Amino acid sequence: MPSESASILPDHQSRKWEVIMGDCEHVMLDLPGESVDLCITDPPYGSKYLDCYRKLRSVSRLLKPGGSLLVLTGQVCFLQIAQILSASPALRYHWLCSAQMDPDSTHSQIRSHRVSVGHKPILWYVKGKYNGPYVRDALPLGVNIQKVNHIWEQPLDWTNYYIDKLTRPGDLVLDPFAGSGSTGLSALSLDRRFLGIELGKKHVIVAQKRLADEQTKLAELNGSRRFLQQDKHIYDSNHGWPYRNR
């Protein structure tokens, strides 16, 4: 019989995605080891959020051998973040990639360093040895979007590219800082399973709606009359599983 933790995972048959509410450090303890093909995430930036990157080291237990962790991050605390992630004995630094911002957009200015930011670093770690295809290490982040779903919402171009290159259809993509579910939209559009973890209930509900709408749209585009009913469950680390969203 499958374990209770395994039942949390999307199974690619009846449900292709799941959004879990809770602190990712605690939630990931409940997930089965070596169940994730790719972890791709965009945690909050700044020195007060450095603990988020310490929590990401727990991803090493969940990744399959050869699986990748990609972390979009800012520049000011880049060195500290790299040191935190590199402290995991099971994660090996692989490469530094770059998501380049729209040149026609207004760039953020880091006044303390007198720099106008034109790209975001992507730290790439691997569990074991990477044997996948060649990938580009610099690509567009995407055209600026209206951040209507989340204050830190990003375009989908960079997640689309790396999910396509580093996984296969049916693989499981994890985002421990899922926000409004943008990574999940990329995963579903590429026929991957998605597991998101998000601390804020408001953002969980937004992510659930976006992913349910995306799955419905994809089913219609594929000419399918079968609607895959997604149970809208929230995993709340304080109340246990499931905590149904009313």
Side-chain angles (χ1 to χ4, degrees), residues 210-223:
R210 295 181 77 196
L211 293 170
D213 290 347
E214 179 71 9
Q215 187 165 334
T216 302
K217 182 184 75 174
L218 291 171
E220 293 172 349
L221 289 175
N222 291 333

Side-chain angles (χ1 to χ4, degrees), residues 12-31:
H12 201 61
Q13 300 298 323
S14 61
R15 56 193 176 97
K16 298 179 72 170
W17 59 268
E18 193 69 74
V19 179
I20 297 173
M21 186 171 76
D23 187 311
C24 66
E25 184 175 33
H26 301 147
V27 173
M28 287 192 290
L29 291 174
D30 291 334
L31 301 179

Side-chain angles (χ1 to χ4, degrees), residues 45-70:
Y45 309 153
S47 58
K48 66 179 180 179
Y49 296 111
L50 287 176
D51 192 53
C52 293
Y53 300 87
R54 180 189 60 79
K55 295 176 181 181
L56 276 178
R57 297 195 301 230
S58 299
V59 169
S60 62
R61 183 184 68 85
L62 304 179
L63 283 174
K64 296 177 181 177
S68 293
L69 165 66
L70 268 68

